[in-house]
Amino acid sequence: MTRASMTRENLARSAVLSVADSLADCLDILRGVDVVQRVLLIGGGAKSEALCSVFPDTLGIPVTVLETGEYVALSAARQEAWAAGEFPRWSRTASRELRPSGDAGVREFRRRYGLVRRATEAELT
């Protein structure tokens, strides 16, 4: 980072990419136990054009953005139904599919984020 590159836009993009990379780390852990079938973006993240613009490239896979809904309440109700031995299927509506665009800047940020994360982990152990 240089004084010239330290613009509001670059700092904002860095913050968004950091959130996306943190979520990508979580996805990598889930991939390791083979439970990932697809990625759905809901809630506040789905409303963020900044996150939507970088998320597919950060994850390296398409992302389905869902229409706004009461997904937390529905998930709680579904868990209650499962506990009672029922397996309801509620529909959800996708508002759009986001595909990776090949943004080299996003990939480079992911690479550097990983280097810093691993260095920090090593320092803490």
Side-chain angles (χ1 to χ4, degrees):
M1 182 172 272
T2 66
R3 195 177 282 254
S5 70
M6 200 178 303
T7 64
R8 287 181 181 187
E9 294 81 7
N10 286 344
L11 290 173
R13 181 172 165 90
S14 179
V16 170
L17 285 168
S18 295
V19 169
D21 279 304
S22 177
L23 292 169
D25 286 347
C26 296
L27 182 64
D28 287 345
I29 292 167
L30 293 173
R31 284 176 172 153
V33 292
D34 201 30
V35 297
V36 178
Q37 296 174 357
R38 64 185 175 161
V39 173
L40 303 176
L41 188 57
I42 64 173
K47 295 176 185 177
S48 168
E49 282 305 315
L51 186 59
C52 287
S53 72
V54 300
F55 210 39
D57 281 307
T58 301
L59 300 180
I61 59 174
V63 174
T64 301
V65 179
L66 297 184
E67 293 287 341
T68 301
E70 295 296 330
Y71 297 108
V72 173
L74 285 172
S75 292
R78 181 176 285 170
Q79 289 175 14
E80 289 291 325
W82 287 343
E86 309 241 350
F87 301 96
R89 296 189 57 82
W90 291 301
S91 64
R92 51 188 174 250
T93 305
S95 66
R96 59 191 168 148
E97 289 285 324
L98 306 173
R99 303 220 172 267
S101 67
D103 186 330
V106 171
R107 283 195 311 272
E108 178 60 13
F109 191 95
R110 178 88 178 124
R111 185 186 73 76
R112 291 181 184 195
Y113 175 94
L115 292 172
V116 171
R117 188 192 73 243
R118 286 187 292 281
T120 302
E121 289 170 351
E123 191 174 305
L124 294 173
T125 57

